[in-house]
Amino acid sequence: MGAVTVNWAGNLTYSSQRVERPETLEQLQELMAGTDPVRALGSRHSFSDVADTTGVHVEVDAIDDGRPPVELDAATGVVSVNGGLRHGVVATALQASGRALSNLASLPHISVAGAVATATHGSGNGNQCLAGDVVGLELVTASGDLLTLRRGDADFPGAVVALGALGVVTRVELATRPTFDVRQDVLTGLPWDALAENLDAVTGSAYSVSLFTSWDEPTVREVWRKALAVPGEATPAAVGPDDVLVALGAKPATGPHHPIPGVDPAACTAQLGVPGPWHERLPHFRLDFTPSVGDELQSEYLVPRARAVEAIEALRRLGPVVAPLLLTSEIRTVAADDLWLSPFDEDRIGFHFTWVADGQAVRAVLPRLEDALLPLGARAHWGKLSTVPLADVAADYPRFADFRKLAGHLDPAGRMRGGYVERLLAV
């Protein structure tokens, strides 16, 4: 049993009475069959209270269910993992077996089940959020029953991005692909007009592309490109003059960069075109470093890809308002999926904001952002800070009523609800 705890950023003290870390499925089932409210607790990287509860928090990373924590089926390429493991740990094990996931988030430190439950994502025009790799789930419901759902089951699309409302996920089954190498290059000073006129070419110039800005700068400060590299083939040491971004006015970086200006890039994954395995390039930060520069807050809004240029123009107009509170802001693209509560019902572009740790000032500026982006069809990230009215959130998801019905079926007493989720399901 552990003490009440805070989230990774320190901006939220959880309301739970205690934290339990069962070592067997039977212990978890006994706990779930009780009467206390229960919620799973992952790596605590959510900035909202989406994972909160007034009852018991459960961590599943220590559960021994008789299988290896990372179990790869060589015949199908599907890997079954303990849901409490960090993505970086799973990725390292997969790489040792010659396999890979399709993508990773900027932080490899986040738990698999938590990232899946909140539709956390990486970048890339053709890459879905991390939940897109999920082909199966095992969870313990509020009654203490063990439930397995796999792609093809009627309720599967409602159970993947589920905000922890259906049960405690103990295992996640993920599709994998053969391992691949990636080179990461940073370019600076991309003109805004060039981005607006060539958005598809810029974001499609590599397997995964991220752009960093503070919205008040004369150009896009940095473009981080993660391009596929062929193992064994000679890789150019530098970005050449015929590169699409160079042709648009960007300049190749001459040294490593951090997403936040002025911060030592030692915690960042290797840049300057040095090729390496996927799990050491797709994240922005290395697993063996703690990437945070200190206290911070985060928000993110996912806008339909077709409205991306309008969103960029609107945010540039807000530059003087948001820049004083920003550490950095990131632009990423994400492909559509079919999951009920995934924000990615269509191809979308994410506008991520890493704020200074001033909650009052940040919450005061969020309505300005939302007034600009919500009319364009934006959806807020489940695990980040926003002030979008919950009735509007629910109305924006066509399958929300089906999800609420599923949650009520698996948890009729509402024990798996708390914090944001309890308020959302009450609208």
Side-chain angles (χ1 to χ4, degrees):
M1 182 188 300
V4 177
T5 187
V6 298
N7 66 344
W8 174 73
N11 70 298
L12 175 67
T13 299
Y14 292 113
S15 305
S16 54
Q17 302 169 22
R18 66 186 192 276
V19 179
E20 297 282 358
R21 194 166 178 247
E23 297 180 355
T24 66
L25 274 178
E26 291 74 21
Q27 290 175 1
L28 175 59
Q29 290 176 295
E30 181 180 353
L31 176 66
M32 296 293 288
T35 59
D36 289 332
V38 183
R39 295 278 287 164
L41 186 64
S43 51
R44 309 172 192 179
H45 278 83
S46 289
F47 293 79
S48 71
D49 61 343
V50 68
D52 204 10
T53 180
T54 56
V56 181
H57 266 132
V58 178
E59 297 177 328
V60 302
D61 60 310
I63 289 180
D64 181 357
D65 62 3
R67 292 172 287 178
V70 179
E71 185 177 41
L72 177 67
D73 185 330
T76 65
V78 171
V79 64
S80 173
V81 307
N82 178 303
L85 294 182
R86 295 180 296 170
H87 260 99
V89 172
V90 173
T92 301
L94 283 176
Q95 173 64 17
S97 298
R99 303 297 295 182
L101 300 174
S102 61
N103 209 356
L104 290 169
S106 59
L107 289 177
H109 310 73
I110 56 178
S111 68
V112 173
V116 164
T118 54
T120 295
H121 60 91
S123 188
N125 287 358
N127 297 325
Q128 296 178 336
C129 71
L130 303 187
D133 278 339
V134 177
V135 296
L137 293 169
E138 296 178 16
L139 61 154
V140 177
T141 68
S143 62
D145 295 326
L146 183 62
L147 175 64
T148 299
L149 291 169
R150 291 195 170 88
R151 181 165 288 280
D153 294 340
D155 292 333
F156 177 83
V160 181
V161 180
L163 312 180
L166 307 184
V168 173
V169 174
T170 57
R171 303 284 297 196
V172 181
E173 296 178 358
L174 302 163
T176 69
R177 54 176 287 180
T179 186
F180 57 99
D181 281 2
V182 174
R183 64 171 288 164
Q184 180 170 218
D185 295 280
V186 175
L187 295 97
T188 63
L190 176 68
W192 284 109
D193 288 346
L195 175 64
E197 295 169 8
N198 303 274
L199 179 65
D200 290 343
V202 172
T203 61
S205 63
Y207 185 79
S208 173
V209 176
S210 294
L211 300 90
F212 291 96
T213 179
S214 292
W215 295 109
D216 64 343
E217 297 158 309
T219 62
V220 180
R221 184 175 67 248
E222 298 169 9
V223 182
W224 288 36
R225 291 196 321 201
K226 303 163 192 286
L228 301 182
V230 180
E233 287 192 5
T235 302
V239 175
D242 58 344
D243 180 86
V244 60
L245 294 193
V246 174
L248 292 174
K251 297 178 174 59
T254 57
H257 282 246
H258 191 285
I260 300 174
V263 175
D264 188 339
C268 297
T269 49
Q271 301 168 24
L272 300 175
V274 179
W278 62 284
H279 69 303
E280 295 180 356
R281 296 296 183 275
L282 291 179
H284 297 333
F285 298 100
R286 293 167 54 181
L287 179 62
D288 55 342
F289 273 72
T290 300
S292 177
V293 299
D295 293 338
E296 64 185 58
L297 301 173
Q298 293 183 12
S299 301
E300 186 176 29
Y301 301 93
L302 299 315
V303 176
R305 180 64 182 263
R307 311 297 296 273
V309 173
E310 295 171 81
I312 290 170
E313 292 171 348
L315 290 171
R316 290 191 66 201
R317 290 192 292 270
L318 287 173
V321 175
V322 300
L325 295 174
L326 277 177
L327 295 174
T328 194
S329 183
E330 182 177 6
I331 305 171
R332 291 182 287 179
T333 56
V334 188
D337 59 57
D338 63 349
L339 307 174
W340 295 355
L341 291 194
S342 168
F344 309 106
D345 58 325
E346 59 183 298
D347 292 350
R348 289 184 178 254
I349 187 163
F351 296 95
H352 186 279
F353 302 87
T354 301
W355 307 102
V356 299
D358 185 338
Q360 182 176 358
V362 169
R363 288 193 175 277
V365 81
L366 290 182
R368 297 282 300 274
L369 286 177
E370 292 161 1
D371 286 345
L373 297 180
L374 293 184
L376 302 179
R379 292 175 169 180
H381 189 295
W382 295 115
K384 313 292 185 182
L385 298 178
S386 78
T387 61
V388 182
L390 295 180
D392 293 346
V393 174
D396 202 30
Y397 286 84
R399 301 298 300 270
F400 184 80
D402 295 322
F403 177 78
R404 181 159 43 199
K405 181 179 179 181
L406 178 61
H409 171 68
L410 293 178
D411 178 25
R415 292 175 53 231
M416 300 298 303
R417 306 179 186 188
Y420 182 91
V421 174
E422 184 171 22
R423 299 191 301 274
L424 178 66
L425 290 175
V427 299

